[in-house]
Amino acid sequence: MTIPSKHVFPLPRIDPAYVSLLISGLTAGIALEKVGEIKKNETVLVTAAAGGTGQFAVQLAKLAGCHVIGTCSTDAKGEFLKSLGCDRPVNYKTENLDQVLKKEYPNGCDVVYESIGGEMFDTCVNRLATKGRLVTIGFITGYKSKLGFSPVKNATLIPKLLTRSASVRGFLLFHYMEEYKPTVDKLVNLYDSGKLKCSIDFGRNSSPGGFKGLDSVVDAVEYLHSGKSSGKVVVELPDDVKSRL
């Protein structure tokens, strides 16, 4: 493939972690800084915190001096979040997130990095702090539905935001292309210096030998939707794999 040089990012070496930095890392880095406007000592809630982009949102919020809450679906993922510096992992399968936030964070969350949608979105809106900002980067619970999305309670959304001077902000990575290079440079430097961790999931617990070759992309996507993955799901494209493409 030949592409314009302005679209090329120099990397120190070949490392699958950079695959994750270029999409998931960029999303977390730009969304939190430019849209979420996180500040030191704020409380930041990250949903799907053990996922491909959530892992970076947790770490970048911590590096910014914030207190970080992260949602996950298993105790093992909770331990993974602790290893990233997450202050309060919440396993929503065994704990009620709304009650945890209401009891432990009565003043609400200053910033929410949200990618689940549906009921999770509604809970996050309910627990926004005064002048809180919810940044929605996706709605994975609705990706398989017939409608393509899970509806939220729009009828009650406006008064909830109005009475707190809070806001819900959408983020799509491709609208911030001017931020790509400086953010990639920052992320690569953090990763290479050991200040930023990158967890890669090759699906070896789901498929013998992991996901290899373009033909396994479908299996990798299904694995992602299963909720069993941790970190960034990556499909290997080794030279010796024969693909129908």
Short mmCIF file of all heavy atoms in Angstrom, two decimals, residues 12 18 34 47 62 73 84 117 154 199 206 217 232:
data_model
loop_
_atom_site.label_atom_id
_atom_site.label_comp_id
_atom_site.label_asym_id
_atom_site.label_seq_id
_atom_site.Cartn_x
_atom_site.Cartn_y
_atom_site.Cartn_z
N PRO A 12 9.45 3.19 16.88
CA PRO A 12 10.80 2.74 17.24
C PRO A 12 11.11 1.31 16.81
O PRO A 12 12.24 0.98 16.50
CB PRO A 12 10.81 2.85 18.77
CG PRO A 12 9.71 3.82 19.10
CD PRO A 12 8.66 3.59 18.06
N TYR A 18 1.79 -1.20 19.46
CA TYR A 18 1.55 0.02 18.69
C TYR A 18 0.24 -0.04 17.90
O TYR A 18 -0.36 0.99 17.60
CB TYR A 18 2.72 0.28 17.74
CG TYR A 18 4.03 0.56 18.45
CD1 TYR A 18 5.19 -0.12 18.11
CD2 TYR A 18 4.09 1.50 19.49
CE1 TYR A 18 6.39 0.14 18.77
CE2 TYR A 18 5.28 1.75 20.14
CZ TYR A 18 6.43 1.07 19.79
OH TYR A 18 7.61 1.32 20.45
N LYS A 34 -9.20 16.52 25.16
CA LYS A 34 -9.85 17.56 24.36
C LYS A 34 -11.35 17.66 24.59
O LYS A 34 -11.92 18.75 24.49
CB LYS A 34 -9.58 17.31 22.87
CG LYS A 34 -8.11 17.29 22.50
CD LYS A 34 -7.44 18.63 22.82
CE LYS A 34 -5.96 18.60 22.43
NZ LYS A 34 -5.28 19.89 22.75
N THR A 47 -15.93 3.15 31.89
CA THR A 47 -16.68 1.90 31.71
C THR A 47 -15.91 1.00 30.75
O THR A 47 -15.11 1.47 29.94
CB THR A 47 -18.09 2.18 31.17
OG1 THR A 47 -18.02 2.76 29.87
CG2 THR A 47 -18.85 3.12 32.10
N LYS A 62 -4.98 8.46 35.46
CA LYS A 62 -4.10 8.40 36.64
C LYS A 62 -2.88 9.28 36.44
O LYS A 62 -2.46 9.99 37.37
CB LYS A 62 -3.67 6.95 36.90
CG LYS A 62 -4.73 6.09 37.54
CD LYS A 62 -5.20 6.63 38.89
CE LYS A 62 -4.07 6.66 39.92
NZ LYS A 62 -4.56 7.18 41.24
N SER A 73 -16.23 -6.96 34.31
CA SER A 73 -17.21 -8.02 34.46
C SER A 73 -16.72 -9.24 35.23
O SER A 73 -17.49 -10.17 35.46
CB SER A 73 -17.70 -8.48 33.08
OG SER A 73 -16.60 -8.93 32.29
N LEU A 84 -3.10 -1.57 36.80
CA LEU A 84 -2.96 -0.37 35.98
C LEU A 84 -3.05 0.90 36.80
O LEU A 84 -2.87 1.99 36.27
CB LEU A 84 -4.05 -0.34 34.90
CG LEU A 84 -4.07 -1.49 33.88
CD1 LEU A 84 -5.19 -1.28 32.88
CD2 LEU A 84 -2.73 -1.63 33.17
N GLY A 117 -23.22 2.15 26.74
CA GLY A 117 -24.55 2.53 26.30
C GLY A 117 -25.63 1.89 27.14
O GLY A 117 -25.36 1.24 28.15
N ASN A 154 -34.25 9.59 27.18
CA ASN A 154 -34.09 10.98 26.77
C ASN A 154 -35.03 11.93 27.50
O ASN A 154 -34.71 13.09 27.70
CB ASN A 154 -34.32 11.11 25.26
CG ASN A 154 -33.20 10.46 24.46
OD1 ASN A 154 -32.04 10.56 24.84
ND2 ASN A 154 -33.53 9.79 23.38
N SER A 199 -1.91 -4.04 27.34
CA SER A 199 -2.25 -5.45 27.40
C SER A 199 -2.82 -5.90 26.06
O SER A 199 -3.76 -5.31 25.55
CB SER A 199 -3.28 -5.70 28.51
OG SER A 199 -3.68 -7.05 28.53
N SER A 206 -9.29 -18.62 23.87
CA SER A 206 -10.53 -18.88 23.13
C SER A 206 -10.32 -19.80 21.94
O SER A 206 -11.17 -20.62 21.61
CB SER A 206 -11.13 -17.56 22.64
OG SER A 206 -12.26 -17.78 21.82
N VAL A 217 -10.64 -13.17 11.78
CA VAL A 217 -11.13 -11.87 12.25
C VAL A 217 -12.55 -11.98 12.81
O VAL A 217 -12.88 -11.39 13.84
CB VAL A 217 -11.08 -10.83 11.11
CG1 VAL A 217 -11.83 -9.57 11.51
CG2 VAL A 217 -9.63 -10.48 10.77
N LYS A 232 -6.44 -5.23 24.47
CA LYS A 232 -6.73 -5.09 23.04
C LYS A 232 -6.70 -6.44 22.35
O LYS A 232 -5.69 -7.16 22.41
CB LYS A 232 -5.71 -4.15 22.39
CG LYS A 232 -5.98 -3.86 20.92
CD LYS A 232 -7.24 -3.04 20.75
CE LYS A 232 -7.42 -2.61 19.31
NZ LYS A 232 -8.65 -1.81 19.12
#
